[in-house]
Amino acid sequence: MSRVERSTLLKLACTLAALGCLAVVLFPLYAVLVGSFETTNELFSRNYHWLPQAPTLVNYRTVLQAQSSHIASSAIVGLGTAALALVVSVPAAYALAKYRLRATAVLVSVLLVAQIVPSIVLATSLFAVFHWIGLVNSYPGLILADGTYAIPFAILVLRAFFFSVPNETMQAACVDGASEWQTFARIVVPLARSAVITVAVFAFLNGWGDFIFALTILNGNTIEPITLSIYTYLGDYSQNWGAVMASAVVAIVPAATMLVVAQRYIAAGLTAGSVVG
Amino acid sequence: MMSLPGEVPDVSPAAREPRAAPDRVTRVRPRRSGAGIERRQRLAGWLFLVPAIAYVLFAFAVPTLYNIVLSFEKSSPAVIGNFTAPFAGVGNYRQVFADPTSTSAILRTLTFTAGSLLGQFVIGFAIALLFNLRFPGRSFGRALIIVPWLLPLIVTGVIFKFLFQLEGGAVNQVLMAVGLASHPIDWLDNPHLGFLSILIANIWLGVPFFVVLLYSALQDVPVQLKEAAHLDGAGPWQRLRYVVVPIILPVIEVVLLLGFVFTVKVFDLVIGLTDGGPANSTQLITTWSYNLSFQQFSFGAGAALNNVLLMLALVCAPLYLFVSRHSLQRSVGSDR
């Protein structure tokens, strides 16, 4: 066998192996998508159907009737978390990257350690604190809690980005008479647009996908994001798997959409520190 | 989705090079008095930090400290919201360590973490090595492989619950179709298989993270080194063992460290998949703490168990700060 033939064969083998890995990794999602178009009876037949035998939209009809208010709740929580994360993180990251403050190392250490604290620890105490100040069962309470996923991450990623903004940019603005705030708001933030979008996308997904704070801080039926409603739905109607699968698809849609629309930002976020450090 | 580390500490050689950072303060000094500018800038810096400091105090410092207080209180639903619970000494801790479900949840969390990390590392490293080779479609494959990471974790749990169903679950259907099982396996009603189910689901969940970080580390290994080893007669395994692994070792350490931090926190996945059952055989510290606090309303005991978890997670804090030292040193103010 010639060298060229061997390397072509090797490439083919790699592609096949990669396809195999992807098949295993993506199979659960495929199964859910197929399941969402099947009736529950068909789902629980003895043989696996690689494609729905008689595709039906009945599950989606059920879900849209039952879940539209939950989808709206999740969207509010996601957007709120993104807004909170930006308001808190962008200025803080700028200060931690570009100002000479004695507390910087301490604050960055605190943020690194904050990421380690498990959410259940925060949830138990926040429940008590929110009970006291009347934030249980409210959007502001849930959004404040969901910020714990997003904010340390956002500050650290944005800070890493701000290091790459040349100091000359800010010096020029200062010489032209811009105040510190004007320099920040008109010059630095527009430059950081892509990092800001990355952080906002992740914060939205954190808020959308949160379950533990929704489970602990919301204890009525007034607000119920889709993550919580899938869980309660499963408990109440564990027979109707078709509808559960359709809800799962609906809950996945934002992640999938973002993967397509904001792929470059997501890739940037996932490898954040190791690339921009 | 899984929470993310904000900063994967720098390990690339480029990141360690000092950057040319002209000092703004000295440059603008001619315009105003240096001390005045410095004071004004310091004030602006602190003002930019106010929201973040307030948030960290409110959402991290207060809850973590209050959790410690709570663990020494005899709390009940009636007093949870008004901070009037009587002191309980170490009663809650005694209760936790005398309760077999709690102690086995602690041990199970350790086994679960070790098993997950082993599985995620072996599979993730293999896939990263595969994607490090050149072949058609690899960038497409890399984009798709991160999908599991972006799903809400509770949804992942529910999806696996569906896949592991006794009758009609896709796992059993596929196993039987390819002849690996003659009858449906009862994944979720058997204590041992229940643990295996949460382990498999969590490995599935974590592999993309390992792939993404290990892949980017592999990309940074200089080609010349591998070629030199090749010329010296090193085979593929030797090149991997003696050239590649030593170079990417810092990243491997970081990935395992972050993987540990993620895995001891796992909650949604288990709640969605098994709800801690059957017969508490898949309770982890997180899920059992939730059960104690929010289902048995034994907030003190829940808080005590939380503190055990916090200690376990914080074991990593010094290591985490150590691997982030380059980023921390950079912060000591040479940049502006």
Side-chain angles (χ1 to χ4, degrees):
Chain A
M1 215 185 319
S2 79
R3 255 187 101 90
V4 178
E5 273 174 6
R6 251 185 67 185
S7 95
T8 315
L9 262 180
L10 197 67
K11 276 182 185 167
L12 190 68
C14 288
T15 308
L16 287 177
L19 279 176
C21 294
L22 280 178
V24 173
V25 168
L26 298 180
F27 174 74
L29 298 173
Y30 176 78
V32 170
L33 196 62
V34 170
S36 70
F37 291 105
E38 290 183 324
T39 61
T40 302
N41 280 342
E42 201 187 340
L43 265 175
F44 284 80
S45 62
R46 230 179 134 68
N47 299 314
Y48 186 70
H49 301 137
W50 289 96
L51 285 172
Q53 302 294 294
T56 167
L57 287 176
V58 65
N59 298 321
Y60 284 95
R61 215 166 292 140
T62 315
V63 166
L64 288 181
Q65 272 164 10
Q67 302 277 31
S68 40
S69 67
H70 306 309
I71 296 169
S73 291
S74 291
I76 293 171
V77 175
L79 292 173
T81 308
L84 175 71
L86 292 184
V87 168
V88 172
S89 311
V90 180
Y94 176 62
L96 292 175
K98 292 294 183 189
Y99 284 85
R100 187 186 298 188
L101 302 169
R102 219 168 273 152
T104 300
V106 174
L107 289 172
V108 174
S109 308
V110 167
L111 291 169
L112 288 166
V113 173
Q115 293 186 300
I116 299 176
V117 179
S119 298
I120 186 69
V121 177
L122 301 176
T124 313
S125 302
L126 282 178
F127 173 75
V129 174
F130 283 2
H131 215 287
W132 186 48
I133 56 180
L135 282 177
V136 171
N137 265 327
S138 72
Y139 282 116
L142 187 55
I143 290 166
L144 280 169
D146 285 352
T148 56
Y149 301 114
I151 286 171
F153 167 75
I155 297 178
L156 294 169
V157 167
L158 286 165
R159 173 172 179 261
F161 182 87
F162 283 135
F163 279 133
S164 68
V165 175
N167 290 331
E168 287 80 359
T169 319
M170 284 160 291
Q171 285 155 11
C174 182
V175 170
D176 289 345
S179 69
E180 299 290 323
W181 171 256
Q182 285 167 327
T183 310
F184 168 71
R186 304 235 182 107
I187 315 256
V188 177
V189 171
L191 278 176
R193 204 171 44 226
S194 67
V196 169
I197 294 174
T198 303
V199 158
V201 165
F202 275 96
F204 177 85
L205 288 175
N206 284 142
W208 177 278
D210 162 64
F211 171 70
I212 189 165
F213 291 118
L215 183 67
T216 50
I217 287 167
L218 308 176
N219 56 7
N221 296 325
T222 39
I223 305 173
E224 197 177 44
I226 188 149
T227 47
L228 189 55
S229 93
I230 287 178
Y231 175 68
T232 49
Y233 192 80
L234 191 65
D236 296 345
Y237 308 93
S238 58
Q239 314 312 321
N240 195 354
W241 273 104
V244 173
M245 291 301 101
S247 326
V249 172
V250 171
I252 293 170
V253 164
T257 315
M258 296 219 170
L259 187 70
V260 176
V261 176
Q263 201 200 339
R264 128 183 120 91
Y265 300 111
I266 286 180
L270 294 186
T271 48
S274 58
V275 178
V276 283
Chain B
M1 66 178 279
M2 234 159 139
S3 58
L4 287 160
E7 202 155 331
V8 176
D10 303 321
V11 278
S12 63
R16 288 182 202 155
E17 282 168 21
R19 288 183 191 213
D23 192 330
R24 176 175 173 185
V25 176
T26 53
R27 285 236 188 141
V28 290
R29 191 160 288 164
R31 244 182 116 232
R32 293 188 206 176
S33 87
I37 283 222
E38 212 165 318
R39 203 175 307 128
R40 192 182 65 139
Q41 287 193 342
R42 201 174 305 137
L43 180 67
W46 279 106
L47 287 176
F48 283 132
L49 281 170
V50 165
I53 292 174
Y55 184 80
V56 167
L57 287 176
F58 171 77
F60 287 101
V62 168
T64 310
L65 293 177
Y66 183 56
N67 195 68
I68 296 172
V69 174
L70 202 54
S71 73
F72 292 104
E73 282 181 350
K74 212 177 167 68
S75 76
S76 59
V79 295
I80 184 70
N82 55 14
F83 306 99
T84 54
F87 184 67
V90 293
N92 291 317
Y93 289 92
R94 202 172 286 149
Q95 184 192 332
V96 161
F97 286 108
D99 166 23
T101 313
S102 299
T103 48
S104 57
I106 295 171
L107 289 176
R108 190 173 299 110
T109 301
L110 296 174
T111 334
F112 176 75
T113 306
S116 297
L117 286 182
L118 184 68
Q120 288 166 347
F121 177 74
V122 170
I123 299 172
F125 196 32
I127 298 181
L129 284 171
L130 175 66
F131 279 113
N132 195 38
L133 302 168
R134 277 175 210 296
F135 60 88
R138 75 171 181 159
S139 58
F140 175 72
R142 261 192 308 120
L144 277 182
I145 212 145
I146 62 174
V147 172
W149 199 1
L150 300 174
L151 306 185
L153 289 165
I154 182 74
V155 173
T156 309
V158 170
I159 290 174
F160 273 89
K161 182 170 184 169
F162 166 66
L163 296 177
F164 282 126
Q165 288 295 299
L166 177 62
E167 298 286 341
V171 170
N172 280 337
Q173 285 174 333
V174 170
L175 285 179
M176 283 170 18
V178 298
L180 281 173
S182 55
H183 56 88
I185 298 167
D186 199 357
W187 292 96
L188 301 178
D189 287 325
N190 171 316
H192 299 292
L193 293 179
F195 180 74
L196 191 60
S197 308
I198 59 171
L199 194 59
I200 291 173
N202 192 54
I203 290 174
W204 180 84
L205 182 72
V207 159
F209 170 73
F210 279 70
V211 172
V212 168
L213 291 190
L214 292 173
Y215 171 82
S216 71
L218 286 172
Q219 290 281 293
D220 289 342
V221 175
V223 185
Q224 301 91 310
L225 279 182
K226 283 190 280 187
E227 281 170 356
H230 191 65
L231 289 177
D232 288 344
W237 171 253
Q238 286 172 314
R239 288 202 295 270
L240 181 66
R241 172 72 187 76
Y242 296 105
V243 179
V244 175
V245 170
I247 292 178
I248 66 167
L249 197 61
V251 179
I252 294 179
E253 290 164 5
V254 168
V255 175
L256 288 174
L257 184 64
L258 294 174
F260 178 86
V261 170
F262 288 150
T263 311
V264 293
K265 292 188 199 185
V266 167
F267 174 82
D268 310 21
L269 184 74
V270 176
I271 293 284
L273 180 50
T274 62
D275 234 337
N280 290 331
S281 66
T282 56
Q283 295 284 9
L284 302 178
I285 299 180
T286 52
T287 56
W288 187 241
S289 154
Y290 167 74
N291 190 300
L292 287 173
S293 299
F294 291 94
Q295 284 170 331
Q296 305 179 26
F297 301 109
S298 189
F299 287 95
L305 194 55
N306 279 343
N307 282 333
V308 174
L309 178 65
L310 194 60
M311 298 295 274
L312 192 62
L314 288 182
V315 165
C316 288
L319 282 172
Y320 193 33
L321 293 177
F322 178 73
V323 296
S324 308
R325 65 194 178 282
H326 299 296
S327 160
L328 281 170
Q329 277 161 5
R330 233 174 129 181
S331 64
V332 195
S334 61
D335 272 274
R336 179 165 154 168

